[in-house]
Amino acid sequence: MERYYQPEIETASREQIKAWQDERLVKQVKHVWDNVPYYRAKMEAAGLTPDDIKGRDDLHKLPFVTKADLREAYPYGLLAKPLSECVRIQSTSGTTGKRVVAFYTQHDIDLWEDCCARAIMAVGGTKEDVCQVSYGYGLFTGGPGLNGGSHKVGCLTIPTSSGNTERQIMFIQDLQATILCCTPSYAAYLGESMKEMGLTPDQIPLKAGIFGAEAWSEEMRRDIENTLGIKAYDIYGLTELSGPGVSFECSAQSGMHINEDHFIAEIIDPETGEVLPEGSKGELVFTSITKEAFPLIRYRTRDICMLNSDPCPCGRTHVKMCKPMGRSDDMLIIRGVNVFPSQIETVLLKQGYSANYQIIVDRVKNTDTLDVQVEMTPEMFTDNMGEIDRRQKELVEGLRSMLGLTAKVTLVAPKSIIRSEGKAVRVIDKRKI
Ligand code: DLL
């Protein structure tokens, strides 16, 4: 039986959702106009006043907000509530440029935790569950968000944070954790470590995992599900909008329901900014319609995605987004060809490798080079050069047919590529240096 955290909201009619969005958007636009000079100036420059926005059908008139705007406004420029009413900041995990800081009122935190609670119940979580939160705690939103959601559901929460893999496994076993929350790359690493310890899936008490914060392929999902003996669910979000729980997967595991009572999603052409019809592939843009302290209007995520509002067997009515297919800023252009790291991952996993790989892009004598280093699994590890050569050629061929490019593939020994406890760094683009 499907369980919901807020059934009347999660299964509301499409008309009801539209009515909430219309009403909340109008209110939100007035709120930023009145309280954030930055937004007012942007709207004035576009010749708009709040009266021009009567509902979500007018959303397209409003200017976009980009990460560059957030950096320019750092730290307080987009704040829409007095600091005395804010109770928390969180910050993005980005390594380049100024970090983005997002502010929350207590009400904002409450709604964010509701979204995470919806995600936990969607994977079958109840107050009988033990939920181990192995996302980082601190400025990163993963730990605090899922922690709050887990409390709301009433799960016994184990706030391990990331790292200390031995202790993670000890708690999973000793405290009989049933739900694991962490990045998919860390879940894969935990699975690998448990396997090495001789644990079989039926000896691992976990039943479900809530994995997000980075891109992961369907092949990686299957790998994690098999090693840990669980169902692996995707969760999406970004600091600027709250954190995890902007959208989450349900039992259908075929896309993530966007919490549309809090966020309006659009897909745009990243080049022209034009809004694309449902089902088109483009850049995901979000407007937060209930955030008080740090509301974002038409925020460009850079995530490439598609939306789908077909009825879902789980009974939820909120629109679904597919797994992000990459970021417009992660997209590599190699010898003129657009390449997403996720495409490379798909080829590797299809040929039986794990998601332990590194992509190195360089420019030698004015020509781009693409090197892919891939770990052999312990089962395929060999020092037979002929066998290694054959496997490398097979991968080069697989990559050529997926990307239309010739890559140099090097198979490396198991465990030689560094593991990540949070978001994995898989691309090294030396051309930028
Ligand atoms: O990663 C929030 C989060 C924490 C989501 C825990 C899920 C679980 P940021 O650090 O601000 O926030 O990074 C946001 O990460 O724009 C996407 O590019 C990427 N991302 C997040 N979730 C997914 C996902 C958190 N499920 C950026 N699949 C986003 C693919 C994801 N990419």
Side-chain angles (χ1 to χ4, degrees):
M1 196 196 63
E2 193 76 34
R3 289 201 193 84
Y4 312 100
Y5 179 65
Q6 290 165 312
E8 66 295 346
I9 299 173
E10 294 175 68
T11 63
S13 68
R14 294 293 312 155
E15 295 71 43
Q16 175 63 72
I17 295 172
K18 166 95 171 40
W20 282 327
Q21 292 192 334
D22 285 340
E23 184 202 320
R24 292 172 187 180
L25 176 66
V26 168
K27 211 170 133 207
Q28 189 68 297
V29 169
K30 285 212 178 72
H31 176 52
V32 298
W33 172 272
D34 289 341
N35 295 295
V36 188
Y38 198 86
Y39 272 115
R40 185 191 279 243
K42 272 197 133 193
M43 282 178 64
E44 279 173 346
L48 294 168
T49 71
D51 288 340
D52 294 307
I53 309 302
K54 302 210 158 41
R56 72 155 293 174
D57 294 340
D58 294 322
L59 183 60
H60 68 98
K61 297 178 184 166
L62 290 161
F64 294 116
V65 174
T66 62
K67 201 155 205 150
D69 290 313
L70 265 50
R71 291 204 173 113
E72 194 187 316
Y74 174 90
Y76 301 127
L78 290 176
L79 196 61
K81 281 278 180 184
L83 271 181
S84 57
E85 285 190 40
C86 297
V87 297
R88 174 94 66 83
I89 71 148
Q90 302 282 163
S91 176
T92 53
S93 45
T95 46
T96 48
K98 265 218 164 91
R99 276 174 168 251
V100 169
V101 285
F103 298 83
Y104 304 69
T105 61
Q106 185 54 50
H107 184 64
D108 292 334
I109 301 255
D110 210 37
L111 298 187
W112 172 29
E113 292 179 350
D114 283 346
C115 290
C116 291
R118 289 181 195 174
I120 293 172
M121 287 199 67
V123 311
T126 68
K127 62 193 284 294
E128 308 305 325
D129 279 292
V130 178
C131 180
Q132 182 151 321
V133 183
S134 312
Y135 285 111
Y137 280 63
L139 287 170
F140 180 55
T141 53
L146 269 310
N147 192 94
S150 176
H151 277 222
K152 286 212 170 194
V153 174
C155 303
L156 172 61
T157 312
I158 316 180
T160 47
S161 193
S162 55
N164 201 335
T165 302
E166 265 174 42
R167 191 178 60 191
Q168 301 275 359
I169 298 174
M170 184 186 80
F171 278 145
I172 290 175
Q173 291 207 284
D174 295 352
L175 302 173
Q176 293 289 298
T178 50
I179 300 177
L180 173 67
C181 306
C182 62
T183 57
S185 46
Y186 195 47
Y189 179 40
L190 282 171
E192 187 181 15
S193 308
M194 289 197 232
K195 198 169 167 186
E196 275 171 18
M197 291 164 66
L199 290 172
T200 55
D202 56 315
Q203 291 170 311
I204 300 169
L206 294 170
K207 65 176 189 193
I210 305 181
F211 306 134
E214 63 184 1
W216 53 310
S217 58
E218 284 301 330
E219 290 75 14
M220 190 164 169
R221 185 203 308 260
R222 273 194 293 279
D223 264 15
I224 296 175
E225 289 192 333
N226 291 336
T227 355
L228 291 174
I230 59 167
K231 282 261 171 220
Y233 298 87
D234 205 350
I235 184 166
Y236 169 91
L238 49 162
T239 317
E240 295 90 323
L241 294 174
S242 59
V246 171
S247 66
F248 60 92
E249 240 175 15
C250 61
S251 53
Q253 289 184 302
S254 61
M256 294 177 271
H257 290 283
I258 295 171
N259 286 308
E260 288 188 280
D261 51 326
H262 300 303
F263 306 102
I264 302 179
E266 300 170 278
I267 293 285
I268 62 158
D269 178 330
E271 302 297 325
T272 63
E274 182 203 346
V275 179
L276 301 176
E278 190 180 305
S280 318
K281 181 169 155 185
E283 183 180 334
L284 194 50
V285 171
F286 279 111
T287 299
S288 53
I289 47 179
T290 50
K291 284 280 292 279
E292 294 180 335
F294 197 69
L296 289 183
I297 308 282
R298 302 197 85 203
Y299 182 62
R300 293 186 60 159
T301 62
R302 300 281 168 203
D303 292 319
I304 305 294
C305 205
M306 287 194 294
L307 299 179
N308 175 358
S309 61
D310 290 345
C312 182
C314 78
R316 288 179 185 77
T317 46
H318 294 225
V319 72
K320 288 198 283 195
M321 56 182 268
C322 68
K323 268 183 180 299
M325 298 153 166
R327 292 175 55 83
S328 56
D329 52 2
D330 265 9
M331 188 181 77
L332 297 159
I333 304 183
I334 302 171
R335 284 172 246 147
V337 178
N338 296 349
V339 174
F340 285 105
S342 59
Q343 296 174 295
I344 297 180
E345 182 175 303
T346 298
V347 174
L348 303 183
L349 274 84
K350 269 200 179 130
Q351 295 198 13
Y353 297 86
S354 63
N356 297 309
Y357 61 91
Q358 208 138 47
I359 300 168
I360 302 147
V361 187
D362 205 349
R363 185 161 288 164
V364 181
K365 293 195 196 130
N366 293 321
T367 305
D368 294 332
T369 57
L370 169 63
D371 284 14
V372 183
Q373 297 193 347
V374 193
E375 265 185 23
M376 285 179 272
T377 62
E379 295 77 35
M380 61 173 75
F381 189 45
T382 170
D383 54 7
N384 177 338
M385 289 315 285
E387 172 63 8
I388 293 180
D389 196 46
R390 186 191 65 75
R391 283 190 165 277
Q392 286 179 167
K393 285 197 175 119
E394 205 171 66
L395 270 176
V396 169
E397 206 31 62
L399 290 171
R400 194 190 342 256
S401 75
M402 171 68 94
L403 312 172
L405 268 181
T406 307
K408 178 172 168 237
V409 173
T410 313
L411 290 180
V412 297
K415 294 260 172 184
S416 55
I417 292 176
I418 195 155
R419 300 290 185 271
S420 159
E421 293 165 350
K423 301 194 193 216
V425 181
R426 296 204 170 99
V427 181
I428 303 170
D429 192 343
K430 296 188 177 164
R431 296 173 302 180
K432 288 184 193 140
I433 304 166

